[in-house]
């Protein structure tokens, strides 16, 4: 073996590879991450003598899977990485991957530990429910293909994430699981046919017939062992080879020992056989895992539906408006400025603006808002929404990563990749529990061997199987995944892993006013008339004067007036002051009170003083004789705000209104909503300090805000909710985004988060209680192996079904 060859497999080492493993106190060169992983495992298991005693070189991973490695090399091309790799810095990259072969929480831990130790990998997070991995690495130290090869070396496959591939893998998983389940079920029924006569004979059966029954049972059990239960043994061997203990280790030990003991008893024609228990156990365990897998895939359906929302093709108008001919193009080819035709029932392919046509858009999957949103020329549309009624011509403004749908999916991916503290704690407990379980099983085997050797084997098998902590590992991640999907369906997007748990535990809810409790749109609050004209007449005059203005105050007056019949002439606008015009031969002014009354020399009525002190905008209408009317314009309160605040008070939460607006305005809004704790005229820094003070007093703060000035306080709060139409900085700092901007969806989201926390606690309590009861019963010999399989499968399935209750609507 030359210096430039791999110490493990003997193959030549590529020039750009510098990998080593210390073997017999000497650094040995390796040709790839696959050989490095295998060699390191040999060393870690104390098997270094293998290298001194071997008489042939093993097959190189590069030769064992040449097609795979050749395919992995494509992942290093920049063009290929564009769809799933992001640049985080000069050399740092982040990829969104989909893992194949994940069967339990231990698989997640194994991949995270194995990949995280690779030189150059700066982070790896894997979500159990979605099988999605987020991997960060230094491009100057390691290639993406090396990372994928390392994953392949421990028995898994990684692909760039895309919805179609994920659906294909999910179908393959379901198909394989069904086949294994069918073989196990068929084998179980046939074995029971041969076992039952032996049971009812109660010793009266001849030895020849009983031997025939045993051999027939053995033959029928072989496909169940070598096909149906193969994943258990394969995963267990991988875990043991890497000196780790996963969920499948006790299962494989229990099934394998029972099967081998039954084979020995069949050969020597002495002792008990457990073929019926083995096949039954495998059938029930596979059945439970299949149902759990189906429920998990259903739980993440909302996230996957969003990822698949955009259509594949679009109808583009290259020469619009002069040429209206259509060409079909791939959505990825659209560019800002293109015009597309969206027919009724079709999905809008990108973010843009309607330039022709009128219709309604169904944005339910994007925002949770079930009512179609009217769209007319000038209105913006979101890619992924469905055009419901009439054809629309849309000018494309944003494509690809810049679209709102892409931002939503990225935020959901970030939330799915992050592990809440409660999940990490459950995973640690589960890993310790498996190691403890193996130790207990050894003690049980020794103890029963001394007491009654005939019972030692099946009791040990029952102990190994019945207390496998699958339910404990599933308890939290499956509940959080279901809750996140249900919240997204309601228009409340989860963007951080810890958000749901923290929202449920929040004690104080702090609200910004403008754009949060209010719409941020001006409306007419009140009218006071000081002339013989009626309020409607004064409003009609005001709207006529304001008809050409785009000022928010003018729009509020026009909306309140509805139709106006007057047609003013000689209109003159003075910026920042108001408008003057002639209607019916009389001159009128509308605007700031001092400007409106300037021409007549009039004074402001005393009744208007309290309005001016309220902080709202006051507009005066006057003619040459004096003031005709005053209009009070203010921010419009959201219709759902009162119900949300009432709900928070009902469940014992403290509510704080924290705003930079004038105290009078804040007090008016707080009075309408029933908020007692009002802090007005507060700067962005003051908001941050206020939340910090609440936290110092022991409060768990949920901050609801909108706008750039809320970003610091959103980041400071334990959990934060940003309105979907707010500033981009506020949304990226938040843990939730209320896409629909409907506070009723936030109210429902709070209920669902509290229900999710209750379900998590129920799952954990059930998992601990089940093991606490099942373990002593199994040790005492009251649980047979097949009954242990039912118990283990039922406990995991119960956790999943309990988590699915989170999806139910609650009034």
């Amino acid at each position: 073996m030359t210096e430039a060859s791999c110490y493990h497999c003997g193959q030549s080492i590529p020039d750009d590879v510098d990998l080593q493993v210390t073997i017999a106190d000497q650094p040995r060169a390796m040709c790839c991450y696959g050989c490095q992983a295998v060699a390191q495992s040999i060393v870690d298991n104390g098997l270094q003598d293998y290298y001194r005693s071997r008489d042939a070189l093993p097959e190189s991973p590069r030769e064992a899977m040449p097609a795979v490695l050749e395919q992995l090399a494509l992942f290093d091309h920049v063009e290929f990485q564009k769809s799933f790799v992001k640049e985080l810095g000069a050399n740092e990259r982040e990829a969104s991957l989909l893992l194949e072969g994940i069967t339990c929480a231990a698989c997640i831990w194994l991949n995270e530990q194995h990949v995280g130790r690779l030189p150059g990998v700066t982070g790896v997070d894997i979500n159990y429910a979605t099988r999605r991995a987020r991997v960060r690495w230094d491009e100057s130290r390691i290639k993406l293909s090396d990372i994928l090869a390392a994953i392949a070396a421990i028995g898994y496959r990684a692909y760039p994430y895309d919805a179609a591939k994920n659906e294909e893998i999910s179908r393959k998983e379901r198909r394989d699981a069904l086949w294994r389940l069918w073989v196990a079920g068929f084998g179980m029924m046939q074995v029971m046919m041969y076992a039952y006569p032996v049971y009812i004979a109660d010793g009266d059966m001849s030895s020849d017939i009983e031997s025939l029954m045993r051999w027939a049972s053995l033959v029928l059990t072989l496909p169940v062992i070598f096909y149906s239960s193969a994943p258990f043994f394969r995963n267990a061997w991988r875990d043991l080879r890497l000196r780790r203990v996963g969920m499948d280790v006790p299962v494989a030990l229990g099934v394998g020992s029972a099967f081998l003991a039954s084979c020995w008893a069949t050969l020597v024609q002495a002792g008990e056989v457990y073929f019926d228990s083995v096949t039954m156990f495998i059938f029930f365990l596979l059945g439970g895992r299949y149902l759990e897998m189906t429920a998990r895939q259903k739980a993440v359906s909302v996230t996957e539906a969003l990822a698949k929302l955009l259509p594949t093709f679009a109808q583009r108008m290259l020469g619009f408006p002069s040429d209206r001919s259509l060409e079909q193009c791939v959505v990825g080819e659209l560019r800002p400025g293109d015009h597309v035709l969206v027919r009724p029932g079709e999905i809008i392919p990108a973010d843009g603006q309607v330039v022709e046509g009128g219709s309604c858009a169904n944005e339910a999957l994007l925002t949770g808002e079930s009512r179609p949103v009217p769209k007319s020329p000038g209105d913006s549309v979101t890619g992924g929404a469905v055009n419901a009624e009439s054809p629309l011509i849309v000018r494309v403004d944003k494509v690809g990563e810049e679209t709102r749908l892409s931002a939503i999916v990225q935020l959901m991916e970030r939330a799915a990749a992050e592990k809440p503290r409660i999940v990490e704690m459950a995973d640690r407990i589960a890993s310790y529990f498996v190691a403890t379980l193996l130790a207990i099983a050894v003690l049980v085997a020794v103890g029963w061997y001394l007491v009654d050797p005939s019972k030692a084997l099946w009791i040990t098998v029952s102990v190994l199987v019945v207390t496998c902590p699958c339910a404990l590992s599933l308890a939290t991640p499956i509940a959080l995944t279901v809750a996140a999907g249900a919240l997204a369906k309601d228009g409340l997007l989860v963007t951080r892993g810890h958000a749901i748990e923290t929202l449920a535990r929040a004690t104080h809810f702090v609200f910004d006013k403008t754009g949060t409790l209010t719409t941020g749109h001006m409306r007419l609050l009140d009218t006071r008339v000081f002339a013989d004209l009626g309020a409607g007449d004064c409003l009609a005059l005001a709207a006529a004067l304001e008809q050409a203005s785009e000022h928010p105050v003018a729009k509020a007056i026009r909306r309140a007036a509805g139709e106006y019949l007057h047609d003013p002439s000689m209109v003159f606008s003075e910026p920042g002051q108001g408008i003057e015009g002639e209607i019916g031969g009389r001159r009128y002014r509308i605007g700031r009170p001092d400007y409106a009354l300037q021409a007549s020399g009039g004074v402001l009525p005393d009744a208007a003083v309290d309005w001016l002190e309220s902080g709202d905008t006051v507009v005066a209408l006057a003619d040459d004789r004096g003031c005709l009317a005053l209009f009070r314009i203010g921010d419009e309160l959201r219709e759902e705000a009162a119900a949300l605040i009432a709900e928070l008070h009902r469940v014992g939460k403290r509510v704080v209104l924290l705003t930079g607006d004038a105290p009078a305005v804040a007090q008016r809004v707080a009075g309408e909503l029933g908020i007692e704790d009002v802090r007005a005229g507060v700067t962005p820094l003051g908001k941050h300090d206020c939340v910090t003070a609440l936290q110092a007093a022991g409060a768990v703060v949920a901050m609801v805000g909108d706008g750039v000035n809320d970003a610091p306080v959103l980041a400071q709060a334990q959990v934060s909710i940003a309105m979907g139409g707010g500033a981009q900085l506020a949304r990226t700092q938040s843990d939730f985004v209320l896409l629909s901007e409907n506070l009723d969806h936030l109210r429902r989201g709070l209920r669902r988060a509290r229900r999710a926390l209750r379900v998590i606690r129920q799952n954990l309590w059930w998992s601990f209680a089940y093991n606490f009861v099942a373990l002593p019963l199994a040790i005492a010999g009251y649980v047979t192996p097949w009954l242990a399989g039912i118990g283990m499968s039922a406990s995991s399935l119960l956790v999943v079904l309990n988590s699915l209750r989170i999806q139910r609507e609650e009034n």
Side-chain angles (χ1 to χ4, degrees), residues 89-153:
N91 293 313
E92 191 171 16
R93 303 288 184 269
E94 180 180 282
S96 180
L97 302 173
L98 181 65
L99 291 185
E100 183 180 4
I102 300 294
T103 59
C104 66
C107 298
I108 302 295
W109 182 83
L110 172 61
N111 277 276
E112 287 180 341
Q113 295 294 315
H114 183 67
V115 176
R117 292 173 180 172
L118 297 176
V121 173
T122 56
V124 54
D125 299 294
I126 305 171
N127 181 270
Y128 171 75
T130 62
R131 274 44 174 176
R132 307 240 336 234
R134 186 176 61 176
V135 181
R136 297 180 299 279
W137 73 96
D138 186 340
E139 185 78 5
S140 64
R141 299 180 60 197
I142 191 172
K143 296 178 181 178
L144 178 58
S145 59
D146 294 330
I147 297 174
L148 301 183
I151 294 174

Side-chain angles (χ1 to χ4, degrees), residues 414-415 418 420-421 480 487 492-512 648 653-654 658 691-692 694-695 699-706 710-723 730-738 746 749-750 753-754 757:
R414 183 179 72 182
E418 291 183 354
R421 186 176 63 255
L480 291 177
L487 289 170
L492 187 60
L493 180 65
V494 182
T495 70
R496 298 286 185 187
H498 72 90
I500 296 174
E501 175 199 355
T502 312
L503 180 65
R505 294 190 297 104
T507 59
H508 288 62
F509 283 78
V510 180
F511 290 88
D512 178 41
L648 291 173
K653 308 296 184 182
R654 289 285 305 277
L658 188 61
V691 168
T692 303
L694 289 173
Q695 292 170 328
V700 178
V701 177
M703 176 70 198
V704 187
D706 176 78
D710 289 329
V713 69
L714 286 169
Q716 176 62 30
Q718 280 100 333
V719 62
S720 54
I721 303 103
M723 306 302 286
R731 291 201 297 273
T732 56
Q733 291 287 346
S734 63
D735 304 309
F736 290 95
V737 178
L738 187 59
L746 176 56
L750 293 172
R754 293 198 302 273
L757 190 59

Side-chain angles (χ1 to χ4, degrees), residues 542-543 546-559 579:
E546 297 276 19
Q547 63 181 283
S549 175
E550 290 300 315
H551 194 280
V553 171
K555 291 180 179 179
I557 291 175
R558 291 202 300 270
R559 281 198 303 270
I579 297 174

Side-chain angles (χ1 to χ4, degrees), residues 143-224:
K143 296 178 181 178
L144 178 58
S145 59
D146 294 330
I147 297 174
L148 301 183
I151 294 174
I154 58 172
Y156 299 89
R157 295 290 299 277
Y159 307 92
Y161 177 80
D162 72 75
K165 186 65 177 179
N166 186 41
E167 190 171 341
E168 177 188 337
I169 291 176
S170 296
R171 282 198 303 267
K172 181 176 179 293
E173 284 182 345
R174 290 194 299 270
R175 185 173 61 250
D176 291 348
L178 274 175
W179 271 110
R180 295 183 193 279
L181 181 62
W182 184 87
V183 170
F186 182 80
M188 176 190 70
M189 291 187 293
Q190 298 304 310
V191 170
M192 287 300 296
M193 288 175 58
Y194 290 99
Y196 184 69
V198 178
Y199 288 145
I200 63 174
D202 196 23
D204 293 337
M205 183 177 290
S206 66
S207 59
D208 292 343
I209 298 298
E210 184 174 350
S211 176
L212 179 63
M213 296 292 187
R214 289 189 173 195
W215 279 105
S217 297
L218 170 59
V219 172
L220 290 168
T221 304
L222 289 176
V224 181

